[in-house]
Amino acid sequence: MGTDPGLVHRRWWTPYLFLAPGLLMVALFSLWPFLNTVVLSFTDARVLSGGHFVGLDNYGRALADPDFWTAARNSVLYLLVVVPCLVLLPLALAVLVQAKVPGIGLFRSAFYTPVIASAVVVGLIWQWVLRSDGLVNTVFQALGVVSEPVPFLTDSTLLLFSAMLVTVWKGLGYYMVFYLAALGNVPASLHEAAALDGAGPLRRFFSITIPQVKPMMLLVGTLSAVSALRVFTEIYILGGESGGPGGGARTLPFLIRQAGLGFAGETGYACAISLLLFLLTLAFSLLGHRLSRGDEE
């Protein structure tokens, strides 16, 4: 039975009709802002003025600015510490809570609770825990571990690591769910066969579980790397608007906000730093993609 030519004619645009709302949203809220950021990065635009074309001046200024390199160093350090923690710790947690025992759902929910809490709430909780008269310092001093409060929030380096702790704590439950899904796809027969051959739990974990969930580990590494480079809220809540003493704990998103903030904000300069952060994020994303492809091959 032949196909109605009119029906075929109507069909070709039908998929595009369904895609149109989504594509329009992407173009309006993602593509256009990105292109506008690229254009503004080559101007001396401010909040209340369009600015003029200045070529690569904003990029040269950023690369010659010590504050930019301090923020870039903090962002990369943040990534180097947070990503390994968020790749390994949620996997260990997922293995522990994977056991099908009564009440395990309660533990899974408890570990997932920080994920559904907002970053502001989580930051405020940890600010109360880590401040000079907070829970940790009170316990440390009561136990005689320290004689003076540890400056978790008033020392730039300790502030940065305190923010990393908050990021890891909040991300544990989120990435644990990823690993639970991956562990559920590992064939039980592999573990049974290895157990019959005399392999212990540790040997089975490294010889069977790790290779089977390796693609998920690469995905978690890529996602957590992108999130680490975008961190802002934790440092803002713990260190205040200045980003810690002398701005020593500022990351690149923090510097972007400061550059473009207020009526005197330098929009063009902030856009240039944004593009440099974008290139850094793109480099780590491509690295993750390359590692994933190498693993598949």
Side-chain angles (χ1 to χ4, degrees):
M1 186 169 60
T3 304
D4 183 0
L7 184 60
V8 173
H9 179 71
R10 285 195 299 272
R11 281 177 178 170
W12 73 267
W13 51 263
T14 302
Y16 298 100
L17 183 64
F18 284 99
L19 289 173
L23 292 175
L24 181 62
M25 297 290 283
V26 170
L28 189 61
F29 294 107
S30 296
L31 184 59
W32 165 244
F34 175 75
L35 295 176
N36 194 41
T37 300
V38 174
V39 172
L40 287 174
S41 71
F42 295 102
T43 71
D44 59 354
R46 291 180 178 272
V47 174
L48 299 179
S49 65
H52 303 89
F53 181 75
V54 295
L56 297 174
D57 286 1
N58 287 326
Y59 292 94
R61 175 185 167 188
L63 296 177
D65 186 356
D67 288 342
F68 170 80
W69 289 110
T70 299
R73 181 203 62 193
N74 289 341
S75 289
V76 174
L77 179 62
Y78 211 97
L79 179 146
L80 294 178
V81 174
V82 165
V83 172
C85 292
L86 287 180
V87 170
L88 299 177
L89 294 180
L91 175 59
L93 199 61
V95 172
L96 291 176
V97 303
Q98 190 190 21
K100 296 179 181 178
V101 296
I104 196 64
L106 179 62
F107 287 98
R108 292 181 180 178
S109 302
F111 287 123
Y112 195 76
T113 300
V115 179
I116 59 177
S118 74
V120 174
V121 172
V122 171
L124 290 174
I125 292 173
W126 279 97
Q127 186 188 54
W128 174 76
V129 171
L130 296 174
R131 66 191 186 191
S132 297
D133 58 345
L135 178 65
V136 173
N137 274 314
T138 301
V139 172
F140 279 1
Q141 288 181 293
L143 295 176
V145 178
V146 296
S147 56
E148 297 290 332
V150 181
F152 290 113
L153 306 181
T154 53
D155 178 86
S156 295
T157 303
L158 290 179
L159 172 60
L160 194 62
F161 281 95
S162 299
M164 293 175 190
L165 174 65
V166 176
T167 300
V168 171
W169 185 73
K170 184 170 171 53
L172 279 178
Y174 180 70
Y175 293 115
M176 179 191 73
V177 174
F178 283 55
Y179 283 124
L180 283 174
L183 290 173
N185 292 326
V186 178
S189 58
L190 293 178
H191 284 280
E192 293 169 358
L196 290 175
D197 288 339
L202 198 61
R203 176 68 181 277
R204 295 201 301 271
F205 176 75
F206 285 104
S207 300
I208 297 175
T209 303
I210 291 292
Q212 291 290 321
V213 302
K214 191 175 180 181
M216 185 59 75
M217 294 175 72
L218 292 171
L219 175 63
V220 169
T222 303
L223 294 177
S224 57
V226 173
S227 297
L229 290 172
R230 295 168 51 193
V231 68
F232 170 80
T233 307
E234 289 90 333
I235 295 174
Y236 183 84
I237 297 296
L238 295 180
E241 292 188 8
S242 61
R250 285 181 298 191
T251 55
L252 286 174
F254 212 102
L255 192 63
I256 293 168
R257 173 190 178 270
Q258 287 192 330
L261 185 66
F263 292 114
E266 299 174 284
T267 307
Y269 183 53
C271 289
I273 303 175
S274 300
L275 261 294
L276 292 173
L277 175 59
F278 167 75
L279 294 176
L280 184 63
T281 306
L282 182 63
F284 279 101
S285 299
L286 292 176
L287 177 62
H289 180 66
R290 176 62 182 169
L291 292 175
S292 300
R293 288 190 58 185
D295 183 63
E296 291 174 358
E297 292 172 359

